[in-house]
Amino acid sequence: MVITTTIPDSGEQLQPTFASRYVRTPVPKYKMPADPIPKEAAYQIINDELMLDGTPRLNLASFVTTWMEPECEKLMMAAINKNYVDMDEYPVTTELQNRCVNMIARLFNAPVGESDTAVGVGTVGSSEAIMLAGLAFKRKWQTKRKLEGKPYDKPNIVTGANVQVCWEKFARYFEVDLKEVKLSEGYYVMDPVKAVEMVDENTICVAAILGSTLTGEFENVKLLNELLTKKNKETGWDTPIHVDAASGGFIAPFIYPNLEWDFRLPLVKSINVSGHKYGLVYPGVGWVIWRTKEDLPEDLIFHINYLGSDQPTFTLNFSKGSSQIIAQYYQFVRLGFEGYKNVMENCLENARVLKEGIEKTGLFNIVSKEDGVPLVAFSLKDSSKYDVFEISGSLRRFGWIVPAYTMPPNAEHIAVLRVVIREDFSRALAERLISDIEKVMKEMETHPIRVSTKTAHVTATVDETQDGDDGGKKHIKKSARETPEEITTYWRKLVAGKRTGIC
Amino acid sequence: MVISKATSNSDDFTIHSTFASRYVRASFPRFKMPENSIPKEAAFQIINDELMLDGNPRLNLASFVTTWMEPECDKLIMASINKNYVDMDEYPVTTELQNRCVNMIAHLFNAPLGEAEAAVGVGTVGSSEAIMLAGLAFKRKWQNKRKAEGKPYDKPNIVTGANVQVCWEKFARYFEVELKEVKLREDYLVMDPVKAVEMVDENTICVAAILGSTLNGEFEDVKLLNDLLVEKNKQTGWDTPIHVDAASGGFIAPFLYPELEWDFRLPLVKSINVSGHKYGLVYAGIGWVIWRSKDDLPEELIFHINYLGTDQPTFTLNFSKGSSQVIAQYYQLIRLGFEGYKNVMENCRENMLVLKAGLEKTGRFNIVSKDNGVPLVAFSLKNNSCHDEFEVSDYLRRFGWIVPAYTMPPDAQNVTVLRVVIREDFSRTLAERLVIDIQKVLHELDTLPSKITAKIALNGENADKNVTVVTKKSAIETQREITTVWRKFVMEKKKMNGVC
């Protein structure tokens, strides 16, 4: 406990929060302040500044869970001071993680016996999960090549250009070449045929995505498996598959149980899923499951022993909180298969309602598919007068955060708005969003921002040409609003084009 | 929200009191997700109850990681638990709080920055991630340099002491860098700068020094390391840099030992990591890594995410994660300020001295830790022939205290210590209580027969008689022997590195 020192100016303790001098001093930004301040003041100052953050539940950009039951929050708060990695001290928490791994492995039809322990681990998110899976593939491939006496210094991984940024990180940090299958207009996921063509002897694995970030589509893992099996027969390279089911892993088993995408396909050796997306847990938990022990090279595993039994660990992070793991277990036992199914069905239904409402405006094309992650991605039929970025900006005024993105190559000319339907996006909110979109579109139609600017440009050119012979020049004064608008739009496009931070 | 279904079951779960319902009779799922939902109250109660059997975090004297924060901060943490930190576009204030923390910590470490210059650094999930990022930066810089020189760059190595925490071994193994460890000695339990500099070769990407060794809390002599390495660099031209793993010490040294030069004041120190969740006084889940300047972080490792038109460079292994700990760190930095942190560290040091004095007074222990360093007390038994430190640790567990026992890394494996970490919330009262309980444990152990006495008695008697005597061991002796053998076996396999 911090020993409270008596501050000479004793009137401080009596003043109500906003009467004290603390709300008048500038908040420290570069250097640690020399003196302490009362905890109420610290709380208030930070709390108030944070009011200007977006509201998480209105953040329609994110797949990550923004609401949990109060009972679960109680469990999370109680576990917030438990360092998850202290397995010796918190054996029950460790066991809860193991139970979650077992449950998820069976959900993905891993070939484990009734009471066998599955091979897998809890991570901080799918990024860590993917890095671990990628590391395992890289090490396995290197070992194989060494045995064959072949060079092993140029590993590569084949994925679609629609991959989330963590794959690019993995490639860059772990020195693996990323071979991306380009997209095309109308086909926004990885084409299995092209992917298999790109596989060579240095390919450590082919990564398929179940639930593409941009359109929510599920890639055809079954077809990929079949084509790759054939190629493997011809080449003898034994190239495996990893399924990035960050979003889809907690949707497909409940809504599309007959879709074969998981360990039912023999070449699938590892799968990652985000507990904090449709696993319905707050940010900070992901899972990676391996098919069998053989798929996880032993030399990557560190053995920590507790209470005499062996607890193998293979994670990048060490100390971290236990709250999210406990919350994941809570969700599994609280909801069960039935509960998750109900939640996912609700999400799909609300996605359908939203999609229909947007279609009814007549101004949009729906880019996302019906089957897949419950989200609605839509583009403008006509982007000449205004574009999706402006719509996104205008929606922000109502409180909605609806992001706009351009597609990756080779579909960069397509820009979409994307609304992700999470558990807590009810029908009421869907209908409200539709009516707000309608309001925004009406505004755009009647007061298009760009038209006057373009006309101004056109007029200028015309005039100059006309005056060309005269040698005189005409300057059209832009209104005070148009220039900043233009600059903002230009910068936003430039900035959005570089953006790969979509998650 | 989950639609609640009306169940046809006649025992209406909404009426039954928690422990009267059928849910506490059902075996809880361990391998397969259950088919049906259960009421949230039942789910809460069952999980909560099982968790009662976990250790009490505040009595976990094994850990450096913070186990108590003020309720006001708990409030802020709970309020931001649903904010995905990586959504910089949507949560610009949270992002800015992280940037402010980076600036403050960089200034605390005397990074060469201008008044309003933004520091180079990032918040991570812990020191493991921080070290991996720092190591990656060194590796890439070294590779680029070697490529430019036309020399081979396939065998990078890193020089550290054998007392490093397991995350360095992880970094080495996962990122394919060789780990060259300076062995310890019984009387010198940290990295010897002289030996370290000797081990440096042209493939060394950096030398890692630890400020606050995990095992005995000692600060390594970074200044000496810097001086020796500067000299070697002059001779060789290799320009080998230093990284300081200040996971524990980074939030202690600036407050208790401000004259100690260990940070960016030393020219070869290019990056420093510190755990926000150790003496940064925040709950588990936050670390920081600071680079000296932009040049020390190769541009190609940074991913640029743009938000609201401004560039936010990111370089982390994790992407989505909670925002709570970053906000909590900022809360602590402005709530406590320099003076507040100093007070907390001084209290820890004071309580550490009280505990140390209490242990010395028993006359049964050697104190292995130093006074200066991380506030912890590492102690070993003067005489461990009858009962060893592991037994003391076990017996203390019965009182509720979790005090771990460890053997030192090579070449000091015959030294076993018990270690008590003094955290912010370990008051003097608790220190005094711990001493009393340790005395009780020693007293109890003294009355118990030792496993070794029986053997000595046996050998002594029969050396001349040439008669085989079979002594019936009591059931408990046999059991204890077996447990001790297994424990030693397991401890040997246990890379002490589970120590954090």
Side-chain angles (χ1 to χ4, degrees), chain A residues 426-437:
Chain A
S426 62
R427 178 157 181 156
L429 289 176
E431 289 174 347
R432 200 173 186 82
L433 176 60
I434 294 168
S435 92
D436 287 344
I437 290 177

Side-chain angles (χ1 to χ4, degrees), chain B residues 404-418:
Chain B
Y406 305 110
T407 45
M408 289 292 178
D411 288 319
Q413 304 95 312
N414 54 330
V415 180
T416 310
V417 297
L418 288 151

